Amino acid sequence: MNDAPTVVCFLQNAWSPVYAGGKWPRDSWLEALERSRSGQRLRILREAAPSDYEWWFDNTTEEVAASPSGVCPPDYKHINRVIAAHNPAYIVACGKQAAKAMRPLWLHASLLCVPHPAYRLLSDSTYRK
């Protein structure tokens, strides 16, 4: 049994013209996230954290937007399922929508709200801090 603290990191929502309006298969989404600017920044965040932390990345909704500027409303049932499944010690909310969605749930774990990883004015050093 692994006793490492779990960090659940919520982003706003995924976007893809292929999966728009539906669900993006998790393995495919994680591959795309890893290659994206957001994924590069999240790697910096992970590397700045203690190495024994277990990370789970998700979105505030399973619904996929059609474009990078697309906004899908948070799905609180989905968020609660993720939190219940992973029982995180820490929750990281990336961006304003994720932070706002986490506010009613913050009692479940320590909550860190950070700028969205793709925010143009964000620096790598800010994520390291």
Side-chain angles (χ1 to χ4, degrees):
M1 184 173 169
N2 188 353
D3 291 330
T6 299
V7 180
V8 172
C9 183
F10 284 100
L11 295 134
Q12 176 175 298
N13 55 258
W15 73 270
S16 164
V18 174
Y19 297 108
K23 294 181 184 179
W24 192 336
R26 181 163 178 81
D27 289 343
S28 175
W29 174 71
L30 286 171
E31 287 176 22
L33 178 63
E34 184 70 26
R35 291 188 310 265
S36 71
R37 181 64 186 138
S38 291
Q40 293 168 15
R41 280 270 164 68
L42 292 173
R43 190 174 317 115
I44 289 167
L45 189 64
R46 281 193 330 262
E47 290 170 355
S51 62
D52 65 333
Y53 284 14
E54 296 290 328
W55 288 79
W56 180 267
F57 294 96
D58 220 304
N59 292 293
T60 63
T61 178
E62 294 179 293
E63 184 179 353
V64 178
S67 69
S69 61
V71 176
C72 301
D75 176 346
Y76 289 96
K77 288 181 181 179
H78 169 72
I79 293 168
N80 281 317
R81 279 192 306 269
V82 171
I83 291 171
H86 298 283
N87 190 28
Y90 308 101
I91 296 173
V92 177
C94 296
K96 290 178 185 177
Q97 178 172 312
K100 186 176 178 183
M102 294 305 117
R103 285 188 189 125
L105 309 171
W106 73 271
L107 294 174
H108 291 284
S110 294
L111 175 62
L112 174 64
C113 298
V114 298
H116 191 282
Y119 181 53
R120 287 178 176 84
L121 300 178
L122 179 67
S123 69
D124 290 352
S125 65
T126 298
Y127 254 38
R128 283 188 193 96
K129 291 177 186 173

